[in-house]
Amino acid sequence: MNKGVFIKIIKWIYKLADGGEKSSQVIFAQFNELIKKVPLLYSILLVNSLSLAYTHYGVAPDYLTIYVAALLSIGCISRAIRWYGFRNSDFSLKQARHQIRITVIFAALMGIVFSIWSYSLYSYGGLALQTHVVYYISITVIGIIICLIHLPAAAWSTSITVGLPFVIFVIYSGHPVFVAIASNFTLVVLVLLKITQSYYRSFSSAIDAKQQIERQHRHTKKLNIQNELLANQDGLTKLANRRSFANYLNAKLSDTTKNKNFIVGLIDLDGFKPVNDIHGHAAGDRVLTEVSNRLKKLLNTDAMLARIGGDEFAVVLDFDNDNEQIQNLGKKITASLQTPFKMRTGLVQISGSCGFAVYPNAGQTAEKLMDRADFALYEAKNHARGSSVIFSEKHEQLIRKKSLIELALGQSVKKEQIKIFYQPIVNGKTGEIVGFESLARWFHPELGQTPPEQFIVTAEKMGMVTEITLYLFELAIQDLRSWPSHIYLSFNLSVHDVINRETLKQLSTILKKYQLPTNRVQFEITETTIMSDLEHCSNITRELQQEGYAVALDDFGSGYSSLSYIHKLAFDTLKIDRSFVHNLQHNARSRGVVKTILELGSSFEVRCIVEGVETEEQKNLLLELGCQNMQGYYFYKPAPIKEFTFEKLK
């Protein structure tokens, strides 16, 4: 057999015994087990060898029982100590693999050396000592195989280099007992090798499975970290989101070791919705991203900045309780947001309003601080968009009043405290009343008269607006029954009424209940209501017209007046906002705007009503501009229906 064939056979046996390619984790696991088992192996070999030398002392030559035995013992002890020392050392994969290979080689070499020594002792002494040699070799081989159960290659090499020659030697001796021992030994070794092979496969599989579980655990942990990040981060701006902001604020409030003042600020963008409508949502996203970048540059690194809504941002910042400093911060923020944003479609101009609440004056809980900041933001947007407001004692009083209003409003319908006043719509030339606009008035015995702009907003937040709308509409329809047939009712709908189809159905049901035609009712819808959902409102106005109702576009010119949406709407009347009438006699531009709107109405074949006419001069100017229908204090102030004499109108 040539050398190449022999090497292939050895490699095949090694692969068969050791399972071929192994993962690094299996190699390290084998090495760690060997660190525990190899010292034990050499201890077994040392004890067995010394026992054999002892029984042959005085019978065999001293060089075999003393000197050779001593050398072999020193070898066992040194190897055991070396492996025991490995416990405190760190090994690389390469070093661990090298030590495993050395162990396989040493198992064969040491087995051969000890076998030769024991065979040398076999020829001395009688049957008992020969039996001891046979026992020594067999039990040592079995012990080595058991100790090397994690390293099948070493177990196989020992079996082949020591066990196989031993079986041949014993059988060749011809002694029946030894032949029987050789047979038993062969069977035991084969079983042990089978068990070793099976155990090693299970051991390797367990290590690989453990590693797979660890990899899966690391992957799961990584996913959990990513999910936690996503759960606490706004996907667009990469700022903290509402959840993260709330957690941060609650944690800050619970940290009793710090009693510093800090502010909670809310920042809301003004004029952002038209950006999406005109430039597209991609442009809107870019604006939001740029807003977040500008805010981050303005605020120091200790500030907690978050995007908590579509175009709403929040901040928590340690700050002295100094209103001037906070106002300066608000001015910097609003000034930064007023700088135009460069888009692919052109420059975009928006603004931002801020509301601030200072801890602990404005509140000592997260909910209260957020409510107070939101109230301050509402005040800023309601009175001066693009400004900042700090929550104060004055606002606290307003909140208390608002709470009283909410409490009283809940009983207002049952107690019939909300009444209807009417303001006539007249023909400017003849002074004839052509219609009445119904106006809600709330008179409370303790609160007095509350303006509609206050209690309607409150009703919307309380979810009462539908109840109030239906109640007032039925009162108005009851009045309408007694009016001359040529006079119509103009009834205002809130945004909640328009978006709720069920409310519109109930309005129609009330009209049918009193057997009045739909063409005697005109519904007024404001521009801001329409802009809240242009597509939906367009569908609603068409449906109302199809049922026979007239539709008026109220406060035209006060909001986002644009031809881009007017042509999409179905309406019968344009009500021109009173702001154009105020300076009509002094401002040529106002006259030009009114004339343009009147011409626009004519081109759309819809009638126009000008609101806010207060003087005869204004009336005459409007007549000259081509306006016919008017409404205002010059003609009539809002009043109960009983104050109008219908005999003159018939």
Side-chain angles (χ1 to χ4, degrees):
M1 182 184 298
N2 59 40
K3 183 178 179 181
V5 175
F6 178 76
I7 291 174
K8 287 182 180 180
I9 293 173
I10 294 299
K11 287 183 177 180
W12 179 80
I13 293 174
Y14 187 85
K15 184 176 180 180
L16 178 67
D18 216 20
E21 290 296 324
K22 297 177 288 187
S23 66
S24 59
Q25 287 72 28
V26 172
I27 293 172
F28 277 119
Q30 280 183 304
F31 183 62
N32 289 331
E33 290 297 328
L34 288 176
I35 289 174
K36 300 174 187 175
K37 302 294 193 307
V38 169
L40 182 62
L41 182 153
Y42 283 113
S43 298
I44 293 172
L45 190 57
L46 176 64
V47 171
N48 288 350
S49 299
L50 290 176
S51 298
L52 186 63
Y54 174 77
T55 58
H56 283 77
Y57 179 73
V59 178
D62 288 348
Y63 78 90
L64 288 175
T65 58
I66 297 176
Y67 302 115
V68 174
L71 287 173
L72 295 176
S73 297
I74 290 171
C76 288
I77 293 170
S78 63
R79 291 294 295 171
I81 291 173
R82 179 174 174 79
W83 273 91
Y84 189 82
F86 286 167
R87 292 170 181 257
N88 301 319
S89 302
D90 293 325
F91 284 81
S92 65
L93 178 62
K94 184 178 180 181
Q95 291 171 326
R97 187 182 279 115
H98 174 72
Q99 289 298 330
I100 289 173
R101 287 173 180 169
I102 292 296
T103 300
V104 175
I105 295 171
F106 257 85
L109 291 177
M110 294 287 283
I112 291 171
V113 171
F114 276 87
S115 295
I116 293 172
W117 174 67
S118 58
Y119 290 144
S120 299
L121 293 174
Y122 183 82
S123 58
Y124 299 98
L127 181 62
L129 291 179
Q130 290 176 339
T131 303
H132 191 184
V133 171
V134 171
Y135 173 78
Y136 163 77
I137 296 174
S138 61
I139 200 66
T140 300
V141 170
I142 291 171
I144 290 171
I145 291 173
I146 292 172
C147 288
L148 297 177
I149 193 169
H150 295 92
L151 190 60
W156 276 75
S157 66
T158 301
S159 300
I160 292 171
T161 57
V162 180
L164 185 59
F166 167 71
V167 171
I168 295 172
F169 175 81
V170 171
I171 292 174
Y172 183 76
S173 70
H175 196 290
V177 175
F178 291 169
V179 172
I181 290 173
S183 301
N184 289 339
F185 171 80
T186 301
L187 180 62
V188 170
V189 168
L190 289 174
V191 171
L192 283 177
L193 288 176
K194 180 66 176 175
I195 292 172
T196 300
Q197 198 73 21
S198 177
Y199 178 83
Y200 172 71
R201 289 196 187 99
S202 299
F203 170 76
S204 299
S205 298
I207 296 298
D208 289 336
K210 181 182 178 182
Q211 183 60 26
Q212 179 65 25
I213 291 171
E214 288 177 355
R215 280 197 298 269
Q216 191 170 1
H217 176 70
R218 287 195 297 271
H219 180 65
T220 302
K221 189 175 181 181
K222 185 178 179 180
L223 287 177
N224 287 338
I225 292 172
Q226 291 175 343
N227 290 335
E228 184 68 18
L229 182 64
L230 291 173
N232 291 284
Q233 186 184 74
D234 174 52
L236 177 63
T237 63
K238 307 307 177 188
L239 297 176
N241 60 13
R242 180 180 286 274
R243 175 190 177 191
S244 180
F245 182 81
N247 291 340
Y248 176 86
L249 182 55
N250 282 314
K252 191 171 183 67
L253 288 166
S254 64
D255 187 358
T256 55
T257 61
K258 297 179 181 178
N259 295 316
K260 291 182 179 179
N261 292 330
F262 64 87
I263 59 173
V264 174
L266 294 180
I267 304 158
D268 190 76
L269 304 183
D270 302 315
F272 177 72
K273 191 176 187 308
V275 175
N276 280 331
D277 294 340
I278 297 170
H279 298 272
H281 288 281
D285 289 347
R286 287 195 293 274
V287 168
L288 291 172
T289 303
E290 178 60 24
V291 166
S292 69
N293 292 335
R294 292 184 187 183
L295 293 176
K296 281 189 286 188
K297 288 178 182 178
L298 275 174
L299 303 169
N300 63 46
T301 53
D302 295 330
M304 169 56 161
L305 178 63
R307 180 185 174 215
I308 61 172
D311 61 347
E312 190 172 12
F313 297 80
V315 62
V316 172
L317 180 65
D318 289 332
F319 227 90
D320 293 331
N321 190 7
D322 186 335
N323 281 6
E324 186 176 349
Q325 291 186 43
I326 299 172
Q327 286 286 12
N328 288 336
L329 174 64
K331 288 177 181 177
K332 288 179 181 178
I333 291 173
T334 54
S336 172
L337 298 179
Q338 285 171 356
T339 303
F341 296 82
K342 293 181 180 179
M343 297 289 112
R344 294 170 189 165
T345 52
L347 292 178
V348 169
Q349 179 74 61
I350 63 170
S351 62
S353 301
C354 304
F356 295 113
V358 182
Y359 169 86
N361 295 348
Q364 299 184 30
T365 66
E367 183 180 4
K368 204 162 189 178
L369 286 168
M370 289 294 286
D371 283 345
R372 296 315 190 244
D374 187 60
F375 189 88
L377 175 64
Y378 172 79
E379 288 294 297
K381 294 179 74 70
N382 196 38
H383 295 103
R385 285 177 179 256
S387 66
S388 61
V389 171
I390 304 170
F391 188 85
S392 65
E393 181 60 32
K394 178 187 72 173
H395 298 125
E396 189 67 46
Q397 293 171 4
L398 289 174
I399 287 179
R400 291 195 190 102
K401 184 177 180 182
K402 180 184 171 186
S403 298
L404 292 174
I405 290 174
E406 288 178 357
L407 187 63
L409 192 60
Q411 299 295 318
S412 62
V413 174
K414 291 180 181 178
K415 295 182 179 180
E416 299 182 350
Q417 293 170 346
I418 300 180
K419 308 293 184 181
I420 293 184
F421 276 35
Y422 294 95
Q423 186 172 33
I425 301 166
V426 303
N427 183 314
K429 286 182 180 180
T430 64
E432 179 187 3
I433 295 177
V434 296
F436 284 98
E437 179 183 0
S438 64
L439 302 169
R441 294 291 184 265
W442 181 28
F443 299 93
H444 190 270
E446 296 174 7
L447 297 174
Q449 183 175 347
T450 304
E453 57 269 19
Q454 286 188 16
F455 75 79
I456 291 298
V457 171
T458 304
E460 287 176 344
K461 291 182 178 179
M462 294 175 62
M464 278 190 62
V465 70
T466 299
E467 181 183 359
I468 292 174
T469 295
L470 296 175
Y471 168 72
L472 293 177
F473 187 68
E474 184 155 11
L475 290 181
I477 294 303
Q478 289 173 356
D479 290 335
L480 178 61
R481 287 190 304 171
S482 61
W483 299 353
S485 59
H486 66 277
I487 295 178
Y488 65 89
L489 167 70
S490 193
F491 190 85
N492 292 279
L493 295 180
S494 72
V495 62
H496 289 270
D497 300 325
V498 175
I499 63 175
N500 190 339
R501 290 182 182 276
E502 187 58 35
T503 301
L504 297 175
K505 287 181 182 178
Q506 289 177 292
L507 292 173
S508 293
T509 301
I510 292 171
L511 197 63
K512 290 176 182 177
K513 174 182 174 182
Y514 293 98
Q515 299 179 348
L516 289 173
T518 55
N519 62 8
R520 294 197 65 190
V521 176
Q522 173 177 271
F523 287 121
E524 294 192 19
I525 304 172
T526 64
E527 278 191 84
T528 50
T529 296
I530 291 168
M531 288 305 295
S532 66
D533 192 336
L534 180 59
E535 192 65 32
H536 177 75
C537 288
S538 299
N539 294 332
I540 291 297
T541 55
R542 286 189 180 86
E543 290 175 14
L544 289 173
Q545 281 188 327
Q546 288 170 3
E547 291 181 26
Y549 296 103
V551 177
L553 188 57
D554 194 17
D555 296 337
F556 183 75
S558 63
Y560 306 103
S561 302
S562 170
L563 292 175
S564 64
Y565 77 79
I566 289 179
H567 80 276
K568 296 180 181 178
L569 294 172
F571 61 94
D572 306 278
T573 304
L574 272 179
K575 295 195 73 176
I576 302 173
D577 188 66
R578 66 185 65 247
S579 60
F580 296 111
V581 180
H582 182 64
N583 293 321
L584 192 65
Q585 59 269 47
H586 307 296
N587 192 321
R589 182 171 293 182
S590 293
R591 291 195 295 272
V593 170
V594 171
K595 185 173 182 178
T596 301
I597 298 175
L598 291 171
E599 291 173 351
L600 178 67
S602 177
S603 65
F604 276 101
E605 296 182 348
V606 298
R607 65 186 170 190
C608 292
I609 300 173
V610 179
E611 300 177 302
V613 181
E614 297 182 356
T615 67
E616 185 175 4
E617 187 178 1
Q618 290 173 347
K619 181 198 77 168
N620 293 332
L621 279 173
L622 289 169
L623 289 173
E624 289 177 13
L625 294 173
C627 177
Q628 182 173 336
N629 296 310
M630 305 178 194
Q631 189 176 8
Y633 279 18
Y634 171 74
F635 300 102
Y636 298 97
K637 292 182 179 180
I641 195 65
K642 64 183 179 181
E643 295 191 14
F644 300 100
T645 305
F646 285 98
E647 283 73 14
K648 297 180 181 179
L649 303 176
K650 292 181 181 179

